[in-house]
Amino acid sequence: MSQCLISLGSNLGQRSELLHRAAERVAKSSAVSNFRASRLYETPPIGGPGGQEPFLNAAAAFDTESSAHEILSLLQDVEQWLGRQRLRRWDARSIDLDVVLYGDLVGGDSHLVVPHPRYPARTFVLHPACDVADHYRDPRFGWTIGELSRHVAKAQPSLCLVGGDADLRRLICRRLTQDHGVITFQSTDRVMTAGTIANAPLPPSQIRFAEPPVQESISTDDAAMPAGPWVSDSLPSLDITDRTHWDDPRMPRLIARIQHVTEDSSWPAPHKIWPKGWRYPEYRLEVTDVEWAIGEVASALDSMRCPCRAVTDDGSWWR
């Protein structure tokens, strides 16, 4: 028996009715037992075409003896039953169902990656998930959903880019500042950055840390830290493996690991993405197109500070 966490969202049509029907259909499946739903939350749309309506979001947790792919198939069947059409990424949608966690499974293929590679940056997933799965633990870095949610909310939305190459990380930073007004910090050519980590992170004992660009222009006084979201193109010099540093405002809320996507490497072996021993939460950034990657990082920052307003008192809305 495995514990499964899913997310539910809708911003087209009769949102609450669509979510009710989706949750009821999943809960009544023979593959699902002990189904619990979060409260409903209303959140603004993040990324995608303009003019979209707000989302209603929820999370649900349940037990299952079915495989992760069988649960994904169940969710896709429910989406199709409710008329979901997939036209453009980040487009408005009548119903959106995703597998977030499935027990301690870490891995993926071209159809499914678990844990969901981008949920750590999404407060519209984390807040509802805390209602029903606060104690569920992400098997990649060992944090519970509750710990991750509180960590992301504790300081300004922030990411440190690792992987890929230094030029790509600097380009992303420059464009984030130019196109989105994001505060960014870039290392110099003389600084050893995290580029040697590439797509497969090294064990923590072998990681070389850069002097943080944040420290070069900003004091360690909390009041002097950026007043808005920020991105750095390298890891901080503070030891990211030391838990006593995790609340330091100079530490990014998440590591954004660049994963170059090709036909051969789009879904690498799990140990090449999340090795054992890496304990800091990550956001996986798949790079097929630089323009898309820049927009994705900007959306991740927006998602980390996305306001979530509960619109129901409990999780009984689906019954």
Side-chain angles (χ1 to χ4, degrees):
M1 187 74 70
S2 296
Q3 294 178 320
C4 186
L5 174 66
I6 66 171
S7 62
L8 308 88
S10 173
N11 75 331
L12 269 182
Q14 300 297 316
R15 301 173 302 166
S16 58
E17 175 63 20
L18 287 163
L19 290 173
H20 175 277
R21 295 172 68 189
E24 185 177 47
R25 188 90 164 191
V26 172
K28 291 184 176 180
S29 167
S30 60
V32 171
S33 62
N34 193 26
F35 182 91
R36 295 97 63 203
S38 72
R39 292 171 288 177
L40 286 179
Y41 290 80
E42 187 169 71
T43 64
I46 302 294
Q52 295 189 42
E53 295 298 318
F55 271 86
L56 279 185
N57 288 298
F62 54 84
D63 300 329
T64 183
E65 292 185 351
S66 297
S67 70
H69 278 90
E70 288 170 335
I71 295 301
L72 174 64
S73 180
L74 167 64
L75 300 187
Q76 291 177 336
D77 287 346
V78 173
E79 288 182 333
Q80 185 175 10
W81 175 64
L82 290 173
R84 166 80 186 265
Q85 292 184 320
R86 299 175 184 272
L87 302 176
R88 290 181 295 177
R89 193 167 192 175
W90 292 333
D91 208 352
R93 62 213 70 176
S94 57
I95 192 70
D96 187 20
L97 306 176
D98 283 316
V99 178
V100 179
L101 294 175
Y102 180 90
D104 60 0
L105 181 63
V106 177
D109 55 30
S110 58
H111 302 289
L112 174 68
V113 174
V114 288
H116 191 288
R118 290 174 294 281
Y119 91 88
R122 296 176 173 177
T123 58
F124 57 83
V125 173
L126 292 173
H127 283 201
C130 283
D131 284 354
V132 291
D134 180 89
H135 61 290
Y136 279 21
R137 196 171 296 277
D138 190 307
R140 296 169 298 178
F141 38 81
W143 293 33
T144 67
I145 293 292
E147 289 170 338
L148 179 58
S149 180
R150 291 186 289 273
H151 173 76
V152 169
K154 193 166 288 186
Q156 290 289 346
S158 49
L159 298 167
C160 278
L161 306 178
V162 303
D165 58 73
D167 288 341
L168 175 59
R169 297 196 302 273
R170 290 169 187 162
L171 172 61
I172 292 174
C173 283
R174 286 197 300 270
R175 290 289 303 281
L176 284 169
T177 298
Q178 294 170 5
D179 300 351
H180 300 277
V182 174
I183 300 167
T184 59
F185 304 98
Q186 299 179 51
S187 57
T188 67
D189 291 335
R190 296 187 301 274
V191 175
M192 174 65 75
T193 71
T196 55
I197 298 177
N199 286 333
L202 297 171
S205 61
Q206 298 180 33
I207 293 175
R208 295 286 301 278
F209 294 97
E211 286 300 316
V214 173
Q215 287 185 320
E216 292 175 5
S217 57
I218 297 177
S219 79
T220 57
D221 183 353
D222 291 1
M225 291 302 294
W230 58 269
V231 174
S232 172
D233 71 353
S234 59
L235 290 170
S237 60
L238 294 171
D239 186 354
I240 207 166
T241 65
D242 185 344
R243 295 181 66 96
T244 63
H245 293 154
W246 290 352
D247 288 339
D248 192 302
R250 293 169 295 170
M251 292 289 283
R253 294 301 87 193
L254 299 172
I255 298 298
R257 185 172 301 283
I258 295 173
Q259 178 70 42
H260 282 300
V261 176
T262 67
E263 188 172 342
D264 295 327
S265 68
S266 178
W267 309 104
H271 70 275
K272 292 185 178 180
I273 312 173
W274 301 294
K276 291 183 178 179
W278 184 258
R279 308 299 293 176
Y280 205 75
E282 293 195 4
Y283 172 93
R284 181 183 175 200
L285 179 63
E286 302 159 9
V287 179
T288 53
D289 175 84
V290 172
E291 295 298 323
W292 178 87
I294 293 165
E296 175 68 25
V297 173
S299 293
L301 294 171
D302 287 340
S303 297
M304 292 168 73
R305 60 177 177 178
C306 172
C308 297
R309 181 176 65 89
V311 295
T312 60
D313 293 331
D314 54 38
S316 63
W317 50 268
W318 67 275
R319 297 183 184 278

